[in-house]
């Protein structure tokens, strides 16, 4: 027997990283009815087919305009285009994020400039932004990483300094900062409805939210072939609309999102009580898309494998900083040591709105035994 090497915790069930099938099953009847309704009306594509969801999403974030688009990546590119960011401009992005944050900048012909993150919060660091800013800097794209919101005071300082701010809120649906909804201060904020997100569709989807009418009007045109009227096109646009089936699914799920978000917060609070400083910290209002701990970099793979061997779904977000991405090599300048250290040491633990506190205890018991 090798009892000494085996964690002694009694397990009731494996703990998946997230369980989309279980989430879907819990609201299947509502989803089926919504899909049937879209089919009955043939409301597949076009502004009218996504309007009802867009209105609900706007109300949830207390903004005037929501434009559903084809993906979170497209949302970022369309928002930048709508703010007239393009060739010759530089756009500052954090080194710790999903690659799409920088990819969107390249798609509009601008140059991504990668800045380091705060070593503790892993959010874009204002001093690092100041250090890479030049007279070509047109915009900043801070990321609400893991569902932790970038302080609005920082966004307002950038705006006061003459920069456009496009908030990458792909992981932060319904989050708040000091009581104000995510995206309500930036010039535009962009969401992803990728299936695994806090609000996820049955395929790709995204949205731009803004309270600036001119930005909304431009995104509305750009997402639909630069269309002025049915066959008159003002400018070269994209085919990037949120389709009717996705919008219907998202509208159903949005009704459940406040309760799901509260459960994420309850689970995160328990993780916090158990694992404390080992976790990447957050402020009140975070929505815990991911629950991320820091590990000893040399030991992370062992911990990851051991958790998985015990039936705990764990992952790494993100194992490669933007400064280390081959596709971004042409844009690289200085290394970003904090982001690179984070990429080597972060570990994401299970987080799912239908997860139980008992499962959190099981995961935390295991982590404590394994480290
Ligand atoms: C921080 C961040 N930005 C942008 C995106 C891009 O969203 P999408 O996959 O919908 O294009 C994602 C999603 O993966 C993301 O996590």
């Amino acid at each position: 027997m090798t009892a000494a090497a085996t964690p002694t915790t009694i397990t009731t069930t494996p703990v998946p990283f997230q369980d989309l099938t279980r989430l879907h099953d819990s609201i299947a009847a509502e989803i089926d009815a919504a899909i049937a309704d879209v089919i009955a009306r043939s409301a597949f594509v076009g502004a009218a087919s996504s309007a009802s969801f867009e209105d609900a999403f706007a109300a949830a974030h207390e903004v005037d305009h929501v434009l559903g688009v084809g993906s979170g990546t497209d949302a970022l590119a369309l928002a930048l285009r709508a703010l007239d960011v393009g060739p010759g401009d530089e756009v500052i992005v954090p080194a710790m994020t999903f690659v799409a944050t920088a990819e969107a900048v390249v798609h509009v012909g601008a140059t991504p400039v990668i800045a380091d993150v705060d070593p503790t919060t892993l959010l874009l660091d204002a001093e690092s932004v100041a250090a890479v800013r030049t007279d070509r800097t047109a915009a900043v794209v801070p990321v609400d990483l893991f569902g932790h919101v970038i302080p609005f005071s920082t966004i307002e300082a950038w705006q006061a300094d003459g920069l456009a701010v496009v908030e990458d809120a792909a992981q932060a649906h319904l989050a708040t900062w000091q009581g104000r909804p995510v995206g309500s201060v930036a010039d535009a904020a962009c969401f992803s409805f990728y299936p695994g997100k806090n609000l996820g569709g049955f395929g790709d989807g995204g949205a731009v939210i803004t309270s600036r009418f001119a930005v909304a009007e431009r995104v509305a045109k750009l997402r639909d072939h630069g269309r002025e009227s049915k066959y008159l096109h003002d400018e070269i646009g994209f085919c990037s609309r949120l389709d009717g089936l996705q919008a219907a699914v998202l509208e159903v799920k949005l009704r459940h999102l406040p309760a799901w978000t509260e459960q994420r917060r309850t689970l995160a609070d328990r993780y916090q009580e158990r694992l404390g400083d080992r976790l990447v910290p957050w402020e009140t209002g975070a929505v815990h898309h991911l629950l991320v701990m820091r590990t000893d970099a040399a030991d992370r793979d062992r911990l990851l494998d051991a958790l998985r061997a015990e039936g705990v779904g764990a992952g790494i977000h993100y194992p490669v900083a933007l400064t280390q991405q081959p596709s971004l090599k042409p844009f690289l300048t200085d290394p970003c040591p904090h982001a690179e250290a984070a990429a080597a040491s972060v570990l994401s633990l299970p987080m799912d709105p239908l997860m139980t506190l008992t499962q959190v205890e099981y995961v935390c018991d295991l982590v404590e035994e394994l480290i």
Side-chain angles (χ1 to χ4, degrees):
M1 292 285 281
T2 53
T6 308
T8 52
T9 319
I10 298 165
T11 174
T12 46
T13 171
V15 187
F17 186 65
Q18 66 173 178
D19 190 341
L20 291 182
T21 306
R22 179 177 58 180
L23 197 68
H24 172 228
D25 287 349
S26 74
I27 54 168
E30 282 176 79
I31 297 269
D32 290 350
I35 289 174
D37 178 59
V38 173
I39 295 169
R41 293 183 294 116
S42 293
F44 298 118
V45 174
S49 62
S50 57
S52 174
F53 164 69
E54 290 168 337
D55 289 347
F57 200 69
H61 292 89
E62 296 174 24
V63 291
D64 295 334
H65 311 284
V66 170
L67 292 309
V69 299
S71 69
T73 311
D74 283 3
L76 290 164
L78 289 163
L80 288 167
R81 272 279 299 269
L83 288 160
D84 286 323
V85 175
D89 293 327
E90 291 177 354
V91 177
I92 299 172
V93 299
M96 186 63 175
T97 181
F98 183 60
V99 70
T101 312
E103 218 174 21
V105 175
V106 181
H107 284 322
V108 303
T111 302
V113 175
I114 301 166
D116 210 351
V117 293
D118 178 276
T120 306
T121 66
L122 307 189
L123 301 177
L124 182 59
D125 176 53
E127 277 180 29
S128 305
V129 168
V132 297
R133 186 176 177 180
T134 71
D135 55 10
R136 291 171 61 202
T137 307
V140 187
V141 186
V143 176
D144 301 318
L145 193 70
F146 311 145
H148 306 173
V149 182
I150 184 94
F152 285 1
S153 48
T154 308
I155 293 180
E156 284 163 339
W158 286 323
Q159 290 171 320
D161 217 13
L163 296 173
V165 179
V166 173
E167 187 175 356
D168 183 340
Q171 306 184 355
H173 320 73
L174 295 194
T176 57
W177 190 78
Q178 295 192 349
R180 296 146 85 190
V182 71
S184 57
V185 166
D187 296 273
C190 299
F191 294 83
S192 165
F193 302 129
Y194 180 80
K197 294 292 195 253
N198 289 24
L199 181 62
F202 286 1
D204 281 312
V208 177
I209 75 172
T210 181
S211 286
R212 291 181 54 180
F213 176 74
V215 174
E217 199 180 31
R218 188 94 188 276
V219 172
K221 190 177 278 190
L222 286 169
R223 72 177 172 176
D224 192 21
H225 301 285
R227 180 173 272 140
E228 169 61 35
S229 58
K230 188 159 185 183
Y231 290 116
L232 194 62
H233 305 267
D234 270 3
E235 61 178 322
I236 298 297
F238 299 82
C239 178
S240 184
R241 303 163 296 214
L242 184 68
D243 70 67
L245 286 169
Q246 296 307 335
V249 168
L250 291 166
E251 192 171 350
V252 170
K253 290 179 113 183
L254 183 59
R255 292 200 285 271
H256 297 273
L257 193 60
W260 291 342
T261 303
E262 278 318 304
Q263 180 63 2
R264 284 180 187 269
R265 288 179 173 145
T266 301
L267 299 170
D269 286 348
R270 190 62 192 137
Y271 269 120
Q272 222 272 326
E273 283 161 14
R274 293 290 309 269
L275 301 177
D277 289 349
R278 294 188 196 284
L279 302 181
V280 176
W282 58 81
E283 291 196 34
T284 307
V287 291
H288 311 291
H289 172 57
L290 294 166
L291 198 295
V292 180
M293 66 178 287
R294 298 294 289 266
T295 68
D296 178 354
D299 199 33
R300 181 175 64 181
D301 287 352
R302 182 194 63 85
L303 188 55
L304 184 65
D305 291 347
L307 286 169
R308 288 179 174 166
E310 292 296 326
V312 170
I316 299 175
H317 303 87
Y318 295 93
V320 180
L322 291 195
T323 42
Q324 302 164 319
Q325 285 294 354
S327 66
L328 295 172
K329 245 196 176 116
F331 308 104
L332 294 189
T333 47
D334 294 329
C336 290
H338 298 317
E340 288 157 24
S345 63
V346 287
L347 179 73
S348 308
L349 297 173
M351 174 51 79
D352 179 284
L354 299 188
M355 190 178 166
T356 65
L357 284 169
T358 309
Q359 289 178 310
V360 173
E361 302 296 354
Y362 173 61
V363 175
C364 293
D365 287 348
L366 262 178
V367 168
E368 281 173 353
E369 286 182 44
L370 289 165
I371 49 181

